[in-house]
Amino acid sequence: MRKAVISITKLFIFAAMPTMNWEELLFYFLVAVTVIQLFYYSFFFARVSFFRPRVKTQSQQHPVSVIICARDEDENIARNLPGVLVQKYSSSYEVVVVNDNSVDDSKYILQELKKTFKSLKIIELTQEAKLITGKKFPLSMGIKEAKYEVMLLTDADCVPVSENWIEKMQNGYTQNIEIVLGYGGYHKTKGLLNKLIRFETFHTALQYLSYALAGTPYMGVGRNLSYKKGVFLRNKGFSSINHIPGGDDDLFINKVATSSNTAVVIDKEAITRSVPKTKWKNWLRQKARHYTTAKYYKPKHKFLLGLYFISQFIYYPTVVVSFVFYDWKYVLPVFGIRFLWQGIVLYKSMKKLDESDLWPWYLFLDMWMFFYYIIFAPTLWKKAKKSWS
């Protein structure tokens, strides 16, 4: 795949170089960048757009342990945990909440919920794990105490959109499947920042879900992620990434996921949502922290993600310069082909992930990603700061 993309790029740029002036070179460079973009939208992203779950010949409901780690999340626990506890699931399930050294009222709210919901299991941690950063230690404790083999992870600030979340997510397990990736989105509110946050989240999900469907899984998000206890224990948990702040979801999946053990669930009833940031500085800080783990991905994933990032970053500047310095009658069809195919793929994908209201804005939001990359690209080389979340 890597060689094919490079070959296509070379074909358009170098084949006619001896006979072309710089304006023609610019145009063919635009064609090459467009071809790369079309490759990603066709080979990867369209898999989400036209996704159809496989029809199962046999249906099985596995007992499930839902695991949630929380630190000073009393408001989120009170608001969101009942949505997990009232799930409609005919098989056995438990909800394991790891209360990690909270100093707010989390303990008392959990105790009150326990009186009503017998499926709730509370683990109180009162000591810090000094040599293990982030929430890897509380999550490891929750996994250790989990009763069932199938584990479903989410965060305290997330709530399932339906009472069928557990059923839909566990339905992704078939023979040999050990990891199931789901979509964790954000609540819809008014304002430009909300659209930017939700589009970036959708855009990230479009990548990791489509890569998994193409047999190249590279990450998952802890807001909606399931894997079996066996795969965690067999790989010695987070031992290989304990020294890295963060990464309890994406880096762990990057290490253990394969083309044969990973499945995705794309279903509107299997989505979780959380409250997005309302201030730019808070969102920028959150995203900068998340991107510090990308440099630890496997080389093939860094190549594929990097090539897409570069082609998307230079696409619109190249279009504008080509319109100015080259014949617009040739530039417009090149732009139009990507524009139309991108619109179809994004429309269908947004519809499947219940983000359809973003589609009328997709050209603006796609152009915004140029500035998004400028803001966040430096974080890929920065040293990650220690943080619980």
Side-chain angles (χ1 to χ4, degrees):
M1 181 190 305
R2 178 175 177 175
K3 292 181 179 179
V5 174
I6 294 175
S7 298
I8 292 172
T9 306
K10 287 182 177 179
L11 176 66
F12 281 95
I13 294 179
F14 297 115
M17 280 187 66
T19 61
M20 290 190 296
N21 56 36
W22 75 270
E23 291 93 345
E24 292 174 316
L25 282 173
L26 174 66
F27 173 71
Y28 279 98
F29 181 72
L30 170 63
V31 172
V33 173
T34 303
V35 168
I36 293 173
Q37 284 278 290
L38 290 173
F39 165 76
Y40 279 89
Y41 273 90
S42 301
F43 186 79
F44 287 113
F45 305 157
R47 295 174 188 268
V48 174
S49 307
F50 300 98
F51 173 79
R52 288 185 180 181
R54 293 180 180 178
V55 179
K56 285 187 172 183
T57 55
Q58 293 181 338
S59 181
Q60 180 180 356
Q61 287 194 324
H62 309 81
V64 176
S65 292
V66 179
I67 302 176
I68 301 170
C69 297
R71 173 178 285 188
D72 296 329
E73 299 265 19
D74 52 2
E75 291 185 6
N76 283 325
I77 290 172
R79 182 187 305 114
N80 299 322
L81 189 55
V84 179
L85 293 166
V86 299
Q87 288 288 298
K88 293 179 179 178
Y89 192 56
S90 58
S91 185
S92 301
Y93 84 96
E94 63 173 355
V95 179
V96 181
V97 177
V98 184
N99 188 23
D100 182 26
N101 293 276
S102 295
V103 295
D104 60 5
D105 292 330
S106 296
K107 178 179 179 179
Y108 307 107
I109 295 173
L110 288 169
Q111 289 175 347
E112 286 300 312
L113 288 171
K114 177 68 175 176
K115 295 176 182 178
T116 304
F117 300 99
K118 303 305 178 184
S119 60
L120 177 59
K121 182 177 182 178
I122 305 168
I123 300 175
E124 292 284 348
L125 299 184
T126 56
Q127 290 184 333
E128 296 279 359
K130 295 182 180 180
L131 299 179
I132 304 177
T133 60
K135 65 176 182 181
K136 299 187 190 75
F137 177 70
L139 182 53
S140 297
M141 294 301 296
I143 292 173
K144 178 183 176 182
E145 297 298 323
K147 187 188 303 183
Y148 304 120
E149 173 69 7
V150 173
M151 302 180 300
L152 180 54
L153 280 54
T154 189
D155 291 337
D157 63 346
C158 297
V159 63
V161 300
S162 79
E163 295 177 336
N164 300 313
W165 170 59
I166 294 178
E167 179 183 352
K168 295 293 184 179
M169 285 298 292
Q170 72 84 36
N171 200 43
Y173 285 98
T174 56
Q175 187 177 7
N176 299 324
I177 295 299
E178 297 180 300
I179 301 167
V180 175
L181 309 179
Y183 177 54
Y186 286 96
H187 291 296
K188 304 170 187 178
T189 60
K190 295 181 179 180
L192 176 62
L193 179 59
N194 179 262
K195 287 183 172 60
L196 297 180
I197 291 174
R198 287 171 47 225
F199 180 76
E200 187 278 330
T201 303
F202 160 80
H203 186 255
T204 300
L206 185 63
Q207 293 177 81
Y208 73 76
L209 292 173
S210 65
Y211 278 48
L213 288 170
T216 314
Y218 75 93
M219 69 165 282
V221 293
R223 298 189 304 274
N224 196 4
L225 173 64
S226 180
Y227 49 82
K228 291 187 176 181
K229 197 171 186 177
V231 73
F232 182 82
L233 298 176
R234 191 170 65 249
N235 288 277
K236 299 180 181 179
F238 304 123
S239 60
S240 63
I241 57 173
N242 274 338
H243 62 289
I244 303 171
D248 53 272
D249 47 9
D250 62 340
L251 284 185
F252 178 72
I253 297 302
N254 192 262
K255 174 186 175 183
V256 304
T258 68
S259 59
S260 59
N261 76 348
T262 305
V264 306
V265 170
I266 299 176
D267 190 300
K268 290 182 180 180
E269 290 190 294
I271 296 171
T272 64
R273 294 203 182 274
S274 56
V275 177
K277 302 295 184 182
T278 56
K279 295 183 178 180
W280 285 85
K281 63 178 182 180
N282 294 338
W283 180 56
L284 295 176
R285 189 182 303 117
Q286 179 190 53
K287 295 308 301 179
R289 185 174 69 248
H290 289 170
Y291 278 118
T292 55
T293 59
K295 58 177 169 282
Y296 300 104
Y297 289 175
K298 293 175 182 176
K300 65 177 180 179
H301 299 140
K302 287 193 286 188
F303 169 77
L304 286 169
L305 293 168
L307 181 62
Y308 175 69
F309 153 71
I310 292 170
S311 66
Q312 189 180 30
F313 179 73
I314 64 178
Y315 176 74
Y316 286 107
T318 306
V319 168
V320 172
V321 175
S322 297
F323 266 116
V324 173
F325 292 101
Y326 199 71
D327 192 336
W328 66 269
K329 288 182 288 187
Y330 293 98
V331 176
L332 185 61
V334 175
F335 173 80
I337 290 171
R338 178 188 180 271
F339 175 76
L340 290 174
W341 181 232
Q342 180 190 40
I344 293 170
V345 171
L346 291 183
Y347 175 78
K348 289 182 172 293
S349 299
M350 288 176 175
K351 189 174 181 180
K352 287 185 180 294
L353 297 177
D354 199 21
E355 303 287 6
S356 296
D357 65 298
L358 294 175
W359 188 78
W361 296 72
Y362 87 83
L363 180 59
F364 164 77
L365 293 170
D366 190 53
M367 294 173 66
W368 145 256
M369 293 303 290
F370 170 80
F371 302 98
Y372 175 87
Y373 289 139
I374 292 177
I375 295 170
F376 291 108
T379 63
L380 296 173
W381 294 275
K382 287 183 179 180
K383 184 178 180 181
K385 295 180 180 180
K386 293 183 179 180
S387 175
W388 187 88
S389 59

